[in-house]
Amino acid sequence: QVQLVESGGGLVQAGGSLRLSCAASGSIASINVMGWYRQAPGKQRELVGITRGGYTNYADSVKGRFTVSRDNAKNTVYLQMNSLKPEDTAVYYCKLQRFGIDYWGKGTLVTVSS
């Protein structure tokens, strides 16, 4: 089993930046499918950015503002968010895939004020 814990969420003003972290219970060095999703109140969960085989696909709404990265030594995946907008307000979830099975964290809330 893979356990994921997100952190770094909070309240930030529009135009500000925030970095989210996703700490995995074990090594992520061999995992090549990992990324972030978000869910706003009353809406479906949507893709933010996901890496597959070294290529990262981003939602059009976050391209140029958000970046997915990783630190294998720390078993951690990051989401750097810049130029935040009120519409970015949501619960953000980390997802990793291992042996074809998806694993999700419990989420961290990001609130962007105008």
Side-chain angles (χ1 to χ4, degrees):
Q1 298 290 328
V2 176
Q3 296 182 358
L4 306 174
V5 180
E6 300 99 333
S7 63
L11 176 64
V12 63
Q13 292 185 336
S17 298
L18 210 59
R19 188 180 73 166
L20 306 183
S21 298
C22 173
S25 59
S27 175
I28 64 169
S30 63
I31 298 176
N32 61 3
V33 180
M34 58 190 69
W36 294 85
Y37 292 72
R38 67 186 182 186
Q39 187 167 21
K43 296 186 177 181
Q44 293 185 329
R45 189 173 299 184
E46 65 176 351
L47 172 70
V48 175
I50 190 164
T51 297
R52 297 185 181 92
Y55 174 79
T56 303
N57 181 59
Y58 295 97
D60 289 341
S61 60
V62 307
K63 285 182 179 178
R65 299 190 298 121
F66 291 10
T67 303
V68 176
S69 63
R70 66 194 293 176
D71 187 336
N72 289 343
K74 297 181 179 179
N75 295 326
T76 301
V77 180
Y78 301 98
L79 179 66
Q80 178 66 47
M81 304 184 293
N82 298 324
S83 301
L84 284 162
K85 305 174 181 179
E87 51 263 43
D88 294 320
T89 296
V91 176
Y92 284 72
Y93 299 89
C94 176
K95 188 193 84 171
L96 302 182
Q97 186 180 97
R98 184 173 181 268
F99 301 137
I101 300 174
D102 291 340
Y103 296 88
W104 295 87
K106 296 298 182 182
T108 185
L109 176 64
V110 173
T111 303
V112 183
S113 63
S114 59

